[in-house]
Amino acid sequence: MYCSSRLRAFAAAATLLAAAAIAHAQAALPNVVILATGGTIAGAGASAINSATYAAAKVGVDKLIAGLPELSKVANVKGEQVFQVASESLTNDNLLTLAKRVSALAKQPDVDGIVITHGTDTVEETAYFLTLTVHTNKPIVMVASMRPGTALSADGALNLYDAVSVAGSKDAMGKGVLLTMNDSIESGRDVSKNFNIKPSAFVSQWGSLGMVVEGRNYWFRAPVKRHTMNSEFDIDTITSLPPVEIAMGYEGVASTAIDALGKSGIKALIHGGPGNGSVADRIVPSLQKLRADGIVVIRSSRVPDGFVIRNAEQPDDKYDWVVAHDLRPQKARILAMVALTKTSDTKELQRIFWEY
């Protein structure tokens, strides 16, 4: 009887010690919140061989987390379903909602990092918007996948594991918004989707910031453009975004799109031209008219790499146009919308495009 009582006491003590050890281990882990928005990472195909044909935004965040128990080894993870949308259908209002939620979470002392699951089609745009507007030095990590979780060689699980690992890392602090995919850590400002079906779809023309391998970060460069804590823009003060549209330049282009957009109430037009953001001679008058009507004209380039040189190809000073520096048209639109919440002065806008 005595021995039995002692054994029960020892067992109870061992259980308490084990629970204390688990609690201590959990307390030592970073706290990471996963905000889910949809996309391929939450997609499902009809069979395992469907890696390019599938339905996006089908799996909820709780199921994503439950399907990856390894996350508990790198962070204390909580999930929130912000919305469930294929990223090509996201709106400006979605951007504002997401950014405001990220900003609120970043202010919480019990949150060390934030992960956002997103569709690949527009993840670079959302990443840049957050880069410009959320004031925090805590890691904000975008993550996506090129294949649904039901496919052979699905990439979403490892991408998500890497994202949580990076978001909980102290060495990721202060580096702006990041994207982790295919083992790479990319700058949210610089990264672009360059291939529509390969897992290695995302690249930055100025190079990756680093790599994450088996939960360890390896850094090779840091962003130098203004971002997050150093940004003059703050999502907590932005209530709406002005309309900005894109018109592409190409051989044989007519002024039809530009003329129509000029009558639609836009505040700025991004011209995505060939080469150095070149503008066909026959549409210059239409762009000049837009500027005369108070619409800001921004010259960008459809070329994947390089940057637009001011007063080359077109006399930007004479026409009072802005150049988009190295931003592709879709990212130039994001910066233009954010910048126009502060100013419509073209000299100030040009400064902003140089600095961000």
Side-chain angles (χ1 to χ4, degrees), residues 160-174:
L160 182 56
Y161 178 87
D162 287 346
V164 171
S165 175
V166 172
S169 303
K170 292 187 184 302
D171 60 10
M173 295 180 67

Side-chain angles (χ1 to χ4, degrees), residues 47-89:
S47 75
I49 63 168
N50 293 125
S51 62
T53 306
Y54 53 86
K58 293 297 181 183
V59 181
V61 65
D62 291 340
K63 192 171 182 179
L64 282 178
I65 294 172
L68 194 57
E70 292 82 1
L71 292 178
S72 64
K73 298 177 182 179
V74 292
N76 299 312
V77 175
K78 293 181 180 179
E80 292 183 20
Q81 194 75 47
V82 185
F83 27 78
Q84 186 83 316
V85 181
S87 68
E88 70 273 13
S89 297

Side-chain angles (χ1 to χ4, degrees), residues 5 29 71-72 74 105 109 112 119 135 209 218 280 307 310 312 326:
S5 297
L29 291 174
L71 292 178
S72 64
V74 292
L105 285 169
D112 298 305
H135 281 208
L209 299 184
Y218 298 84
F307 56 93
R310 189 171 174 82
D326 63 334

